[in-house]
Amino acid sequence: MDLTPIQKRLLIRRKRADRVFVVLGAALAAFCLSVLVIMIAALIRDGASRFGWSFLTQFPSSDPPLAGAKSAFVGTILVMVVTAATAIPLGIMAGIFLEEYARKNWFTAIIEINIANLAGVPSIIWGLMALGLLVYHFGTGRSILTAGLTLGLLVLPIVIVATREAIRAIPQAIREASYACGATRLQTVRYHIVPYAMPGVLTGCIIAMSRAIGETAPLVTIGALTYVAYLPPAPLTDRPWLLGTLSELTFSEEDRTKPFGSASSPIGGLPTPAGQIEFDVRPDATGPSARTVVSVAASETLTPAALAQAIDDVPGVLTRFDDDGHLRIESELEEWFLISKDSTGLIDAMGMQRGGGKHGPLDWVTSGFTVVPIQMYDWVSRAEGLGFKPNAAAAGILLVTMTLAMNASAIYLRNRLRRSIRW
Amino acid sequence: MSNAGRSANSPGTNRSGHTPLKRGRLRWGEKVFETLLMLAAASSVLITVGIVAVLIVESMAFFEDASLREFLTGATWAPGFDPPAFGIRSLVSGTLVTTTVALFVAIPVGTIVAVWLSEYAKPKVRETVKPALELLSAIPTVVFGYFALLFVTPALQWLFARFGFSLPGFNMLSAGLVMGVMIVPYIASLSEDAMRSVPTALREGALAMGATKFQTAMKVVFPAALSGITAAYILGISRALGETMIVAIAAGQEAKFTFDPTEQAQTITAFIVQISGGDLPHESTGYRSIFAAGLTLMIMTLAFNVGGFLLRRRYKETY
């Protein structure tokens, strides 16, 4: 067919949009992917010098070349354990209920709408919920437990949706065959639905965990610490060591300068304390100990602040009042200590753990903590002036490695599944 | 056989001599299991109740000390000052500016990438690019924050300086731009899903009428998928409003009522992070203000979602 020049020009013009779009779409997709690459390259450029084995085996420090992410890395793993223990069973059970059991009624409708909406709640709101409900109302404190529960609930919708999709992909014939063989509903779920859905569920769980690992905002909100120079207590280890021990009583600014004996002090009414507090300080958990004695003279004017100062003078031991007014006695980096004797009665009166025995299997759950993203946030905020940029970047490398590895394995798993399953 | 008939027989055997199934015990286990599953599903409703209750109860406590009128109309937000000032406007402006900057990047880029993936890209390319883009959204936001503060901001400062302008170290522009790139995968992925679920017959119809691929994509597929695309945009907006770490790190920590993206300003989320980081004592009004700020954020998110829902219903096409 012969075209007039005008027709030809029109045809070319019409096709031009197509050609532009092919290039534009590919260019923009490439741009987004290049941001990913540049971001990782920037992290490696800034952080390669700090990243390495020592980064994972050193506690944080005020000296950037020595500051590592040991406590943050361990904290992340422990928080993830609690998160997985919350989100995975709860999510799978809820998913099974909605797909296999739920009848079409208002109750199911509410749950479904609710789950869809929960997935859209900003993560910082979860932090506020955890702060108001868990930390203050249920008193779980700023602990690994609180953090794990918060993140577990946050990623719950992801697990539920993944479970439902995996179950929905199972053909109805499988269920009918199972029922036809005389299986009950529970047996069908147990022996057919769950096993067949498992790979899909697993993919969803990995994605959920990788999302939880990177979450920072809710954990900042519940008050995760930024400087943690100890590890949570391992189960069944000896417990004489008062690392980061905390008084049950709180001392306001005023109380700290009031004598212990005075009626308005938090431990008012105590006879004027006098005696000795003995500390066994060791360079590490198994090394030889050195005994240091703090003498408390019978004095009408001994105040919590003065006592804290006296204990603070013991080498290897630090004291401070935290934001809530609790007196904290902590060990310096790598030092361990034990209050072996207290004839003053003050330590007991303040409700401090005296130690002894073994840690319970779940003691670590109530420990204070930090996680890698929070450690990174802390370092980023001190990047320029104080030279923590390499540390921040190294923490970034660690985080990106963990999340990308998890996501890549999830994608791999998903693709393999698609190929291997033929109903 | 009816139950009444069976209970009349001697226990253990029925009329034909077989041992009957112990149906009662089996059913009991089933019932317990079903109840457990139902409780697990219902727990999600409890969580929502918990979130709403905490926000409302704590905000009420806040408004006992601070006036609602000042909250809505006051121009300054300075909860740590004496006397404190609680005008949420300054935080809302920061949130809206960073969100707008992010959407200026995310909506065009996300939509074009989605159209390209769904209408132009070969299946093999699509199956590679889509998961790769999803990897981008898997990167923790604190890493994006690092990137915004220590890479994009210096780059923008250099660029601004070449044209004789200056840019502060904290600014909403770089936070918003990086946030936009972070949101692209959400929008692209969901929009692409929506466009691909448009029946092929519609495309074939358009192509048969002589439309080019571009005309088919823009005049047939895009409108048909508009409901799903709107949902993707709404998700993107929600993400941008609630995004915390990027703005907390790169946009600044000082509440300021401004709509100039080259300035520093605090968003609602950055404020919550700053206060929880431990500036104010617990029982203070300033501390409680994080819940009122959170409630405001929640209401803004909800408003966009409801608006989106209404829009979607208008554009909904069924085939």
Side-chain angles (χ1 to χ4, degrees):
Chain A
M1 186 174 68
D2 282 328
L3 296 171
T4 63
I6 290 181
Q7 281 176 319
K8 267 187 192 159
R9 226 180 315 146
L10 276 174
L11 208 61
I12 290 171
R13 192 186 293 166
R14 265 155 46 84
K15 295 260 178 177
R16 192 184 294 149
D18 269 344
R19 280 201 301 276
V20 168
F21 216 86
V22 169
V23 177
L24 188 66
L28 287 178
F31 164 74
C32 290
L33 295 180
S34 71
V35 169
L36 180 67
V37 174
I38 291 172
M39 198 152 65
I40 293 172
L43 286 178
I44 292 174
R45 182 196 68 187
D46 298 342
S49 60
R50 184 67 194 95
F51 192 73
W53 185 243
S54 73
F55 184 68
L56 287 180
T57 53
Q58 282 174 322
F59 281 116
S61 154
S62 53
D63 186 16
L66 293 178
K70 182 181 184 178
S71 46
F73 189 60
V74 173
T76 287
I77 291 171
L78 294 179
V79 169
M80 281 311 116
V81 169
V82 180
T83 303
T86 314
I88 294 177
L90 213 55
I92 294 179
M93 283 164 72
I96 293 175
F97 175 79
L98 290 172
E99 283 304 311
E100 294 295 311
Y101 284 87
R103 291 162 195 87
K104 261 200 170 342
N105 56 19
W106 61 269
F107 180 69
T108 313
I110 285 183
I111 293 178
E112 295 205 0
I113 293 170
N114 183 58
I115 288 169
N117 283 325
L118 273 186
V121 172
S123 63
I124 189 120
I125 300 289
W126 291 90
L128 289 178
M129 183 273 287
L131 184 69
L133 213 60
L134 298 177
V135 177
Y136 291 140
H137 193 74
F138 292 123
T140 54
R142 297 155 175 227
S143 59
I144 291 177
L145 178 67
T146 309
L149 283 177
T150 311
L151 295 185
L153 299 180
L154 192 152
V155 299
L156 185 63
I158 303 178
V159 180
I160 295 179
V161 169
T163 306
R164 296 188 65 177
E165 276 174 7
I167 292 178
R168 224 175 287 163
I170 301 171
Q172 194 60 27
I174 300 277
R175 295 180 187 84
E176 280 157 9
S178 173
Y179 291 136
C181 291
T184 64
R185 213 172 207 185
L186 175 57
Q187 286 164 338
T188 307
V189 167
R190 165 75 185 77
Y191 295 106
H192 299 280
I193 303 298
V194 171
Y196 300 150
M198 218 20 145
V201 172
L202 205 65
T203 312
C205 291
I206 296 175
I207 302 252
M209 287 300 119
S210 96
R211 164 96 195 272
I213 274 191
E215 275 301 338
T216 321
L219 299 188
V220 178
T221 312
I222 63 170
L225 307 165
T226 49
Y227 182 91
V228 177
Y230 57 87
L231 295 183
L236 307 180
T237 49
D238 289 330
R239 194 176 53 179
W241 314 105
L242 294 179
L243 289 163
T245 190
L246 188 69
S247 65
E248 277 172 13
L249 297 176
T250 57
F251 298 91
S252 67
E253 294 276 359
E254 259 177 83
D255 292 338
R256 289 169 206 173
T257 52
K258 275 183 196 151
F260 276 113
S262 73
S264 55
S265 157
I267 9 180
L270 198 76
T272 311
Q276 293 181 328
I277 306 172
E278 290 181 11
F279 288 84
D280 282 342
V281 182
R282 299 183 183 197
D284 60 65
T286 51
S289 71
R291 177 155 299 181
T292 313
V293 176
V294 174
S295 293
V296 180
S299 157
E300 299 282 335
T301 56
L302 180 69
T303 62
L307 179 74
Q309 187 56 51
I311 296 177
D312 197 58
D313 290 341
V314 175
V317 180
L318 296 171
T319 56
R320 64 183 174 92
F321 291 95
D322 67 12
D323 294 342
D324 300 327
H326 298 288
L327 174 62
R328 293 185 78 100
I329 306 184
E330 291 167 344
S331 89
E332 265 173 34
L333 220 56
E334 302 294 325
E335 302 270 10
W336 300 67
F337 72 89
L338 156 71
I339 300 175
S340 51
K341 202 173 154 196
D342 166 30
S343 59
T344 60
L346 275 174
I347 295 291
D348 278 340
M350 286 192 289
M352 289 199 161
Q353 288 178 339
R354 298 199 55 189
K358 302 268 188 197
H359 282 296
L362 288 177
D363 276 6
W364 56 272
V365 159
T366 54
S367 167
F369 71 100
T370 188
V371 291
V372 179
I374 287 184
Q375 190 71 73
M376 180 175 177
Y377 173 54
D378 181 50
W379 280 331
V380 170
S381 60
R382 291 187 284 153
E384 295 290 20
L386 295 161
F388 279 96
K389 192 170 169 181
N391 302 64
I397 296 174
L398 184 61
L399 267 181
V400 170
T401 311
M402 286 193 288
T403 48
L404 286 193
M406 291 172 89
N407 274 275
S409 64
I411 290 171
Y412 172 75
L413 206 66
R414 196 167 60 190
N415 285 347
R416 243 188 62 161
L417 265 171
R418 250 189 225 158
R419 259 171 290 161
S420 65
I421 295 185
R422 295 267 185 278
W423 296 108
Chain B
M1 194 206 311
S2 74
N3 279 333
R6 179 185 294 169
S7 61
N9 285 329
S10 61
T13 55
N14 61 12
R15 224 176 298 163
S16 53
H18 294 293
T19 312
L21 288 170
K22 291 180 178 169
R23 296 188 63 180
R25 220 176 71 198
L26 261 176
R27 283 250 171 111
W28 192 75
E30 300 264 326
K31 208 75 211 162
V32 168
F33 189 66
E34 186 176 341
T35 314
L36 269 178
L37 293 183
M38 196 198 68
L39 287 178
S43 69
S44 70
V45 179
L46 269 184
I47 297 166
T48 311
V49 173
I51 291 176
V52 174
V54 164
L55 287 182
I56 290 181
V57 168
E58 297 283 343
S59 296
M60 300 246 281
F62 168 75
F63 285 119
E64 275 173 20
D65 300 329
S67 86
L68 180 62
R69 214 178 124 183
E70 188 203 345
F71 188 76
L72 294 176
T73 59
T76 48
W77 179 267
F81 286 17
D82 192 26
F86 299 106
I88 193 75
R89 214 164 75 183
S90 309
L91 294 182
V92 171
S93 70
T95 302
L96 289 180
V97 171
T98 50
T99 302
T100 310
V101 173
L103 294 180
F104 261 108
V105 177
I107 287 190
V109 175
T111 312
I112 292 172
V113 169
V115 173
W116 176 69
L117 279 176
S118 138
E119 304 300 313
Y120 288 90
K122 294 187 177 75
K124 199 146 194 182
V125 175
R126 180 169 55 222
E127 292 310 314
T128 320
V129 171
K130 219 179 157 188
L133 278 178
E134 277 163 18
L135 280 187
L136 185 63
S137 63
I139 301 277
T141 54
V142 65
V143 175
F144 279 103
Y146 174 94
F147 185 64
L149 180 69
L150 298 173
F151 190 92
V152 175
T153 298
L156 285 178
Q157 279 173 329
W158 175 81
L159 197 70
F160 269 55
R162 289 202 59 170
F163 293 99
F165 299 102
S166 70
L167 189 71
F170 293 116
N171 61 80
M172 294 187 278
L173 185 63
S174 72
L177 290 176
V178 171
M179 196 151 85
V181 173
M182 186 198 79
I183 295 169
V184 166
Y186 292 103
I187 292 186
S189 182
L190 281 181
S191 308
E192 199 258 350
D193 288 343
M195 282 188 258
R196 269 223 283 171
S197 62
V198 172
T200 320
L202 284 186
R203 285 189 192 86
E204 285 165 351
L207 292 172
M209 298 292 286
T212 62
K213 255 186 170 177
F214 182 73
Q215 287 166 329
T216 311
M218 282 303 150
K219 302 213 164 120
V220 177
V221 180
F222 189 86
L226 200 53
S227 165
I229 292 172
T230 314
Y233 290 172
I234 293 297
L235 182 79
I237 295 174
S238 303
R239 290 270 155 197
L241 287 174
E243 172 45 44
T244 308
M245 297 320 290
I246 299 176
V247 287
I249 289 172
Q253 294 278 318
E254 208 179 301
K256 191 173 183 186
F257 184 69
T258 172
F259 288 99
D260 178 1
T262 61
E263 284 192 71
Q264 79 86 39
Q266 196 170 38
T267 64
I268 295 177
T269 50
F271 164 73
I272 296 174
V273 163
Q274 184 201 0
I275 294 300
S276 339
D279 274 19
L280 293 172
H282 281 161
E283 294 294 307
S284 68
T285 313
Y287 192 81
R288 288 214 173 98
S289 68
I290 63 176
F291 291 98
L295 186 64
T296 312
L297 177 69
M298 200 65 182
I299 290 172
M300 284 168 71
T301 315
L302 196 69
F304 276 106
N305 275 289
V306 170
F309 177 76
L310 295 178
L311 270 180
R312 284 182 66 188
R313 216 170 44 178
R314 222 185 117 183
Y315 292 131
K316 187 116 191 161
E317 313 230 353
T318 43
Y319 303 101

